[in-house]
Amino acid sequence: MGSLSPAQRPTMYFVGVTTTKSSIMKVFPAWARALGLDAVIQGIDLPLDDTAEHYRDVVDFIKHDPLSLGALVTTHKLNLYKAAHDLFDSVGPQTALLDEVSSVSKRDGHLWGHAMDPLTSGLSLDALVPPDHWRRTGGDLLLLGAGGSALALTLHLHERALAGGDVPGRVVVTNRRPGRLEEMRAVHTKLGLSIPVEYVVADTPDVNDAQLARLAPHSVVANATGLGKDRPGSPLTDAARFPEHAIAWDFNYRGDLVFLDQARAQQVERHLTVEDGWLYFIHGWTRVIAEVFALDIPTQGPEFDRLSALAAQA
């Protein structure tokens, strides 16, 4: 991590691993013009599992620099909050539950931390599956990876189930490290999760292949591992077979995206819908930008479509 210099203009930060490769560096200026913002974006790159000192330095800098208005945090959202939770003056209810921060913002001199993933992952999933999809098809949900994004999606489904909405009858979560699954299970237990979840240790990709083979037709298979973006590869082997009429969804939109290549190789034969993480990217950034700059940005409709089109053109 390089030195952090005081911002010369109103600045929003992107705390990630390889931020210069993200489309947001081109998209943000176009959005700022469309939204009437006099602001710039700057990346802060940190290695995976960086030191607590570096995470605290980033949060402390944003908190005390007058023109640094906030940040979106991706890969580091769990570790950053663990290291610097005491530096936040207030946090949203989802942050208190998930112990992570994906949005850093300021209000009346107070530093706020929010966990936006339950909202943004839910909006993205809802855009991928047709209305009444789960009840109508009996499809399952397989989450490959038990990190913050996967946990957030289960919380979205929990809230939907409590409201009587359409949710999958079976959710399977796999992860290479059993500790992450136990952390997820602990949150689910604390919450009294209203949907059934199976937790599977997948220390090798062939275990994920086996879980894929158990799924009903019309299931959703989501790559929430970070493989294909933060690290190369896929959680599946090339021998994996997707269920017929499945939706293969990668939370990533950039990288080698091997998971999506594996799905596309079966797309015609298995009648698959294959989706990358572009819409997740749009929802994730617009929700945090709305929080940092205190804007009302809709999640659908003409204004949202206009911002989506601008992003695609940038």
Side-chain angles (χ1 to χ4, degrees):
M1 181 183 73
S3 59
L4 297 169
S5 302
Q8 302 303 305
R9 294 179 59 189
T11 301
M12 177 178 177
Y13 296 90
F14 175 19
V15 183
V17 180
T18 54
T19 58
T20 58
K21 296 180 180 180
S22 174
S23 296
I24 196 59
M25 296 307 180
K26 295 179 179 178
V27 171
F28 185 89
W31 280 354
R33 290 190 294 270
L35 296 168
L37 294 174
D38 175 22
V40 296
I41 190 167
Q42 182 174 325
I44 299 176
D45 285 350
L46 302 172
L48 292 171
D49 298 319
D50 203 358
T51 65
E53 179 184 5
H54 285 169
Y55 290 127
R56 291 183 65 84
D57 286 346
V58 169
V59 176
D60 187 71
F61 168 75
I62 294 172
K63 181 173 184 175
H64 293 106
D65 185 59
L67 292 180
S68 295
L69 305 184
L72 181 143
V73 185
T74 53
T75 308
H76 306 287
K77 55 198 169 189
L78 289 163
N79 288 336
L80 181 141
Y81 187 63
K82 180 179 180 181
H85 61 90
D86 59 302
L87 297 178
F88 289 91
D89 299 302
S90 302
V91 297
Q94 299 287 20
T95 288
L97 179 64
L98 295 173
D99 284 330
E100 70 172 43
V101 158
S102 56
S103 169
V104 179
S105 59
K106 295 177 178 178
R107 288 291 183 277
D108 301 321
H110 291 165
L111 189 72
W112 275 85
H114 289 284
M116 292 292 193
D117 274 355
L119 174 61
T120 58
S121 62
L123 289 168
S124 304
L125 179 65
D126 292 347
L128 292 178
V129 298
D132 208 34
H133 171 82
W134 307 106
R135 290 193 186 101
R136 181 173 51 82
T137 68
D140 306 313
L141 172 63
L142 172 60
L143 292 172
L144 302 169
S149 297
L151 176 57
L153 189 56
T154 64
L155 299 190
H156 163 77
L157 292 171
H158 165 74
E159 292 171 357
R160 168 164 286 189
L162 289 178
D166 183 37
V167 296
R170 189 171 73 102
V171 177
V172 180
V173 183
T174 73
N175 201 75
R176 183 170 53 88
R177 293 182 293 174
R180 185 71 83 186
L181 287 169
E182 290 308 312
E183 291 171 4
M184 176 182 277
R185 189 198 300 267
V187 174
H188 288 169
T189 301
K190 176 181 177 182
L191 192 63
L193 199 71
S194 54
I195 54 174
V197 177
E198 300 175 18
Y199 309 90
V200 178
V201 177
D203 49 357
T204 57
D206 60 288
V207 178
N208 288 324
D209 291 0
Q211 294 302 317
L212 200 70
R214 297 178 56 227
L215 297 177
H218 301 278
S219 292
V220 174
V221 183
N223 175 25
T225 63
L227 288 173
K229 175 177 173 276
D230 297 328
R231 300 180 303 278
S234 166
L236 301 173
T237 76
D238 288 340
R241 293 280 287 172
F242 285 83
E244 289 206 354
H245 303 284
I247 299 174
W249 177 27
D250 200 322
F251 283 11
N252 307 316
Y253 76 93
R254 63 183 176 92
D256 58 18
L257 302 179
V258 176
F259 171 84
L260 290 183
D261 290 338
Q262 292 168 327
R264 290 186 181 114
Q266 303 176 38
Q267 187 168 8
V268 174
E269 176 193 357
R270 309 292 287 174
H271 311 289
L272 306 180
T273 300
V274 182
E275 297 286 348
D276 65 14
W278 181 248
L279 189 59
Y280 201 165
F281 166 87
I282 300 292
H283 280 302
W285 275 100
T286 53
R287 289 305 91 215
V288 177
I289 288 171
E291 179 64 29
V292 169
F293 295 100
L295 297 174
D296 181 15
I297 301 177
T299 59
Q300 59 183 349
E303 178 64 13
F304 180 82
D305 292 341
R306 182 170 75 101
L307 293 175
S308 298
L310 285 172
Q313 296 163 10

